């Protein structure tokens, strides 16, 4: 009788565990999504305005661009190249799901179709999607915690991001590392739909910028073009301050200030 009683207790505990497990898994997914959202919000704020230096290096050449960039929420981005003189005035505007580039020397505006979101931006290792974040790492993916590990000198959480079935995203999978404390982004790996690693983005040199501390060096390394590296350095950045809505307009896109 005692043996049957023990078996019954074990069976009951097992049934309770099985019944609870969906909520446990759901909790883990929610935690992973919270981490990703916190990291994403940290890097963009409700609004942001900053100056950036982007250095593109290939086995054959190197060049550096100075950029002025604005963002508002997750659906508006404006980027203007300040130097060198050859590219000065080239602008990129994103409003909702629409993206345009303006070339002042030929006075031409080009609308970028969704099929070109993976195309290089200004011959760098950052794509159009990377710069304007057309696809949302918060809303367009399913988030799952993979492990906890040391990365970049930090205790981090490794998160797997797989596209939702109906999401119009450019990547087949992402791996995302954030610090366990503060959820600061440390690394991202980008994979195509076949599971091939395309490039890796590493964040470093966390510094105080305005009302927060963020990584100020972003290094993108190509896995398909050996020797290709693009580094973006944050010169200064201001978050959560009002930005005139006219900044995100076609007239501003074509103005050569």
């Amino acid at each position: 009788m005692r043996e049957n009683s023990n078996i019954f207790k074990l069976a009951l505990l097992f049934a309770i565990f099985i019944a609870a497990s969906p909520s446990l898994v759901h909790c883990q997914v929610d935690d992973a999504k919270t981490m990703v959202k916190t990291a994403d919000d940290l890097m963009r704020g409700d609004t942001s305005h900053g100056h950036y230096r982007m250095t593109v290096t290939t086995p054959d050449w190197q060049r550096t661009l100075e950029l002025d960039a604005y963002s508002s929420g997750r659906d508006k981005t404006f980027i203007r190249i300040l130097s060198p003189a050859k590219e000065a005035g080239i602008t990129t505007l994103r409003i909702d799901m629409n993206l345009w580039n303006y070339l002042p020397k030929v006075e031409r505006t080009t609308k970028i179709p969704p099929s070109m979101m993976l195309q290089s931006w200004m011959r760098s290792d950052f794509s159009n999607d990377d710069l304007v974040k057309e696809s949302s790492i918060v809303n367009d993916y399913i988030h799952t915690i993979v492990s906890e590990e040391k990365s970049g000198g930090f205790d981090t959480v490794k998160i797997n991001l797989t596209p939702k079935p109906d999401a119009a995203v450019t990547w087949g999978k992402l791996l995302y590392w954030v610090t366990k404390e503060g959820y600061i982004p440390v690394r991202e790996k980008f994979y195509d739909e076949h599971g091939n690693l395309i490039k890796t983005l590493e964040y470093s040199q966390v510094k105080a910028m305005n009302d927060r501390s963020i990584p100020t060096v972003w290094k993108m390394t190509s896995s398909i073009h050996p020797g290709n590296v693009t580094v973006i350095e944050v010169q200064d950045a201001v978050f959560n301050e009002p930005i005139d809505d006219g900044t995100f307009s076609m007239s501003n896109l074509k103005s050569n200030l």
Side-chain angles (χ1 to χ4, degrees):
M1 291 292 292
R2 182 177 298 175
E3 182 178 353
N4 289 338
S5 176
N6 289 337
I7 292 174
F8 175 76
K9 289 178 181 179
L10 287 173
L12 181 61
L13 287 172
F14 182 75
I16 292 172
F17 176 78
I18 291 298
S21 61
S23 61
L24 292 174
V25 172
H26 181 66
C27 178
Q28 185 190 52
V29 172
D30 283 347
D31 287 346
K33 183 175 181 178
T34 298
M35 293 176 187
V36 171
K37 184 179 185 303
T38 302
D40 193 50
D41 289 343
L42 177 72
M43 297 299 288
R44 73 168 77 229
D46 293 331
T47 66
S48 69
H49 175 214
H51 295 91
Y52 306 83
R53 177 181 295 121
M54 183 173 77
T55 301
V56 184
T57 302
T58 76
D60 302 316
W61 51 268
Q62 183 182 81
R63 66 175 181 150
T64 298
L65 306 175
E66 301 289 337
L67 313 173
D68 188 26
Y70 298 80
S71 72
S72 178
R74 287 186 168 85
D75 56 4
K76 294 180 181 178
T77 306
F78 180 86
I79 303 171
R80 173 176 279 120
I81 297 177
L82 304 178
S83 68
K86 182 179 179 182
E87 283 93 4
I90 294 176
T91 51
T92 297
L93 172 65
R94 182 265 178 108
I95 302 176
D96 297 322
M97 302 299 286
N98 302 300
L99 180 68
W100 298 269
N101 285 335
Y102 178 68
L103 305 177
K105 291 192 175 180
V106 294
E107 298 184 350
R108 186 177 70 187
T109 301
T110 304
K111 187 172 183 179
I112 308 300
S115 60
M116 294 178 64
M117 291 310 294
L118 281 179
Q119 190 176 67
S120 169
W121 188 81
M122 296 303 298
R123 300 173 67 191
S124 74
D125 296 291
F126 286 83
S127 66
N128 290 314
D129 186 67
D130 294 326
L131 268 293
V132 304
K133 296 294 185 185
E134 183 196 40
S135 56
S136 168
I137 61 173
V138 176
N139 298 320
D140 291 337
Y141 290 87
I142 298 169
H143 313 79
T144 307
I145 294 173
V146 177
S147 62
E148 296 181 5
E149 57 188 59
K150 280 280 188 182
S151 182
F154 295 97
D155 291 322
T156 69
V157 179
K158 180 180 177 181
I159 301 169
N160 184 76
L161 285 73
T162 54
K164 292 181 178 178
D166 57 346
V169 300
T170 53
W171 300 108
K173 182 182 79 169
L174 300 174
L175 288 178
Y176 196 49
W177 286 258
V178 299
T179 60
K180 290 179 67 176
E181 183 175 348
Y183 304 149
I184 299 170
V186 174
R187 179 180 296 113
E188 292 182 63
K189 286 183 177 289
F190 302 79
Y191 297 82
D192 65 16
E193 65 274 18
H194 304 295
N196 301 309
L197 177 63
I198 303 301
K199 56 188 180 181
T200 300
L201 176 58
E202 296 177 300
Y203 298 93
S204 62
Q205 297 190 32
V206 176
K207 297 180 183 178
M209 285 281 170
N210 189 224
D211 63 347
R212 67 200 59 207
S213 294
I214 62 170
T216 58
V217 176
W218 315 339
K219 180 181 178 182
M220 187 76 85
T221 304
S222 173
S223 297
I224 57 177
H225 299 295
N228 281 24
V229 177
T230 298
V231 176
I232 293 180
E233 302 168 80
V234 184
Q235 304 298 297
D236 61 74
V238 176
F239 299 90
N240 298 338
E241 292 194 358
I243 297 176
D244 190 307
D245 205 48
T247 300
F248 310 101
S249 65
M250 297 301 292
S251 59
N252 193 39
L253 177 74
K254 298 176 183 178
S255 68
N256 194 11
L257 300 178

